[in-house]
Amino acid sequence: MALPKTKSGPGHNKINQAFGYSAEQDAKQKSKWDTVQYNQVVTWMNTVLGKQLLEKDKDSAYLQKTLENGVILCEFINKIKANSVSAKIMKQMQGNNIFDKQRISVFVTKAKEIGLPGHSSFEAGDLRDDNNMTSVLNGLYSFGRVCHDKKIAFNGITAKAKMGNQAWSISNEDT
């Protein structure tokens, strides 16, 4: 079966451009992106990681490209619960779809073991294949809430979250 030829010229330069119903779904998904919530997650993740790996005020494409291989997520979960992800899994071929999805799935599994409800989690394909970045953002935010509610400390730093779109405050106290 031959693949359909793609059009070239102005307006036809995107390889994976969506049309019709798919375009409507893409637009709907992008309209759900919450930059305030994203910035809260970035602040919390950078604090836990102890370094500025994620930038604030970015869109879903940035988050997807930054986290798509699952390595940062594995480093992140290892900071929260030591030795959650083995070095072997962390070092497997980055950029290989199977290994990237494995790392993302390990992160989600470990987050669920800590207490993330299944309905608040996301699938590896949501992130790796850019299928539903709003679900990824909501999953990370929910995981932050779970960690706060369980009073899990990260090297003496606790993420104190508030309900709604209020910013998280980070303190150096265990409460």
Side-chain angles (χ1 to χ4, degrees):
M1 180 173 157
L3 294 173
K5 292 184 179 182
T6 57
K7 296 180 181 180
S8 60
H12 297 287
N13 55 357
K14 292 186 178 179
I15 295 173
N16 293 323
Q17 186 173 6
F19 297 96
Y21 181 74
S22 293
E24 291 173 17
Q25 291 303 308
D26 285 349
K28 184 176 180 181
Q29 200 64 29
K30 287 179 179 152
S31 73
K32 293 181 181 180
W33 187 256
D34 185 342
T35 304
V36 172
Q37 186 180 35
Y38 167 79
N39 286 338
Q40 293 170 357
V41 169
V42 166
T43 299
W44 177 59
M45 288 183 71
N46 285 340
T47 301
V48 171
L49 289 164
K51 49 190 168 183
Q52 301 297 310
L53 291 178
L54 299 166
E55 296 177 28
K56 288 185 173 184
D57 299 316
K58 297 291 184 175
D59 62 5
S60 62
Y62 170 81
L63 185 63
Q64 193 272 334
K65 283 295 176 199
T66 305
L67 300 180
E68 74 179 336
N69 65 20
V71 172
I72 292 174
L73 291 175
C74 290
E75 290 175 9
F76 181 61
I77 200 75
N78 278 344
K79 290 282 188 175
I80 294 171
K81 186 177 178 189
N83 303 315
S84 291
V85 183
S86 70
K88 178 182 176 184
I89 291 174
M90 298 262 306
K91 293 178 183 177
Q92 289 174 327
M93 285 179 69
Q94 294 177 25
N96 181 298
N97 194 31
I98 292 170
F99 294 123
D100 292 350
K101 284 185 174 180
Q102 180 185 19
R103 280 187 287 273
I104 296 165
S105 293
V106 168
F107 167 80
V108 171
T109 299
K110 297 301 179 179
K112 286 178 180 178
E113 287 175 8
I114 291 172
L116 179 66
H119 67 273
S120 296
S121 69
F122 56 92
E123 301 291 325
D126 292 338
L127 174 55
R128 178 63 175 91
D129 301 332
D130 198 10
N131 289 338
N132 190 345
M133 289 306 296
T134 302
S135 178
V136 173
L137 178 61
N138 289 335
L140 292 171
Y141 182 83
S142 295
F143 183 53
R145 294 287 306 148
V146 166
C147 290
H148 168 70
D149 292 345
K150 291 183 172 271
K151 297 181 179 11
I152 296 174
F154 319 106
N155 299 325
I157 299 171
T158 304
K160 294 183 176 181
K162 296 181 179 178
M163 295 303 290
N165 283 334
Q166 298 175 14
W168 288 5
S169 63
I170 309 297
S171 73
N172 290 324
E173 302 173 16
D174 284 339
T175 55

